[in-house]
Amino acid sequence: MSKIDAILDRALQGERLGLEEGIALWESNEIEKLGHVANQLMLAKHPKPITTFVVGRNINYTNVCDTYCRFCAFYRQPGSNEGYVLPDETIFQKIQETLDVGGTEILMQGGTNPNLPFSYYTNLLKEIKKRFPTIHMHSFSPAEVVKMMEVSGLPLEEVIRQLKEAGLDSIPGGGAEILDDRTRRKISRLKGSWREWMDVMQSAHRHDMTTTATMVIGFGETLEERVLHLLRVREAQDQTGGFLAFIVWTFQPDNTNMPREKLGAEDYLKAVAVSRIMLDNIPNFQSSWVTMGPEVGKQSLHFGCNDFGSTMMEENVVSAAGTTHKVNINLSLELIREAGKIPAQRNTHYQILRVFDSQEKSDRDFIMQN
């Protein structure tokens, strides 16, 4: 039995893999074998041939940011003529449009805008919940929460408490990039340590909010740093159990200050597989069709992913870097079926709202209801 076979066999037996084993998996060129084992581990958690998706919308409420990440093509520095903060009424209109098509989730994210007081966020959340009590606010990445601490002078636990009280339901995993400070200092000197990102997430978990965890590869990080990222997420999940999903994608270098060669489909699929094999305590893995395209997204459903992410009515950050794959509801259904799966709409908590088993009837009913 080869070294890789022995490692994969241990994973299938339920043994936890460590740093050296994770590096060995990433060094392996046997991508199909990694994918097969990752798929088996996914099926152990999700035995039904169902792939879920959420109908949601990204709302980028501001592009003003004083973190200046080298890899971001979206932000504008404070004082820029191209900087904006969306009017509240525009945000309300976007939420109403989301509800009108059967959407359930709003992923509201922006830059770390130093000109917005903490009351901006709490008042906005309260107004949203007053108008749209059923919408799930999956919003504000850890970097934004840290900026709220900075402008308010409040400790982390109090910021999280007030956000939840105002109407925040869960926190997205953006800004994790690579959870190792060597790479973080290289790509985003002002963004804060990996520990700071994790502190926000674990505080949210303590306040009974769920979050997601993410990883972006392709910054020039080492394989060891990638595996350390996974181990740090896994350890935190052991402590608080609040990560509902894991999402990995590749750095999109176009239009950024970090010109690099873009990683390909094989790099992405290997990352998905290794992550599923290492992260034995996170139930859901989202496919990253936004960055990788629909066809690779479809492949990822056989490499450890059980979820197709959001239909995303709107997305501005990744598309600013030249990646503009858009998937609507009907195309999501089609791609999931082409992958040999049954599509199902879920909410943010991964509760299934509707299964599209009979194609003609279910699709017709969905369109008529929305």
Side-chain angles (χ1 to χ4, degrees), residues 40-221:
Q40 293 299 111
L41 293 170
M42 182 276 287
L43 289 172
K45 293 184 187 297
H46 305 278
K48 294 180 180 177
I50 286 176
T51 293
T52 51
F53 65 92
V54 67
V55 180
R57 183 171 196 161
N58 268 30
I59 299 178
N60 300 116
Y61 63 94
T62 183
N63 66 344
V64 177
C65 189
D66 62 359
T67 303
Y68 313 120
C69 298
R70 291 175 61 203
F71 55 84
C72 181
F74 172 71
Y75 81 86
R76 296 296 181 267
Q77 63 185 19
S80 166
N81 292 332
E82 296 178 341
Y84 72 80
V85 177
L86 289 181
D88 288 0
E89 289 303 324
T90 302
I91 293 173
F92 301 152
Q93 181 185 341
K94 289 175 181 288
I95 295 173
Q96 184 61 59
E97 290 167 0
T98 307
L99 289 168
D100 288 346
V101 298
T104 60
E105 176 184 285
I106 296 296
L107 181 63
M108 193 161 67
Q109 294 186 117
T112 55
N113 189 333
N115 304 319
L116 296 177
F118 184 43
S119 58
Y120 166 83
Y121 304 95
T122 53
N123 290 340
L124 179 57
L125 285 167
K126 287 172 186 173
E127 289 301 315
I128 288 170
K129 286 293 186 173
K130 190 186 301 179
R131 289 166 171 78
F132 314 103
T134 63
I135 200 72
H136 184 105
M137 295 302 294
H138 180 59
S139 304
F140 307 132
S141 67
E144 291 161 273
V145 173
V146 170
K147 178 56 67 174
M148 294 176 205
M149 292 168 57
E150 190 180 302
V151 298
S152 68
L154 295 171
L156 173 59
E157 297 291 323
E158 181 61 18
V159 168
I160 293 290
R161 188 192 69 77
Q162 289 194 31
L163 286 172
K164 183 184 180 185
E165 192 175 83
L168 184 63
D169 297 301
S170 59
I171 294 180
E177 277 80 63
I178 291 291
L179 294 177
D180 189 85
D181 289 343
R182 187 194 72 88
T183 291
R184 293 179 78 79
R185 280 194 297 269
K186 189 173 66 173
I187 63 177
S188 183
R189 190 171 48 84
L190 301 177
K191 200 162 206 172
S193 68
W194 76 265
R195 188 63 254 177
E196 189 174 72
W197 182 93
M198 193 66 78
D199 286 344
V200 172
M201 291 308 196
Q202 293 194 287
S203 175
H205 298 167
R206 285 192 293 274
H207 285 82
D208 295 322
M209 279 197 284
T210 58
T211 72
T212 56
T214 61
M215 176 167 69
V216 185
I217 62 169
F219 294 117
E221 70 285 343

Side-chain angles (χ1 to χ4, degrees), residues 234-248:
R234 191 174 75 185
E235 182 182 356
Q237 182 74 340
D238 280 345
Q239 294 168 5
T240 54
F243 290 119
L244 274 188
F246 188 77
I247 310 108
V248 59

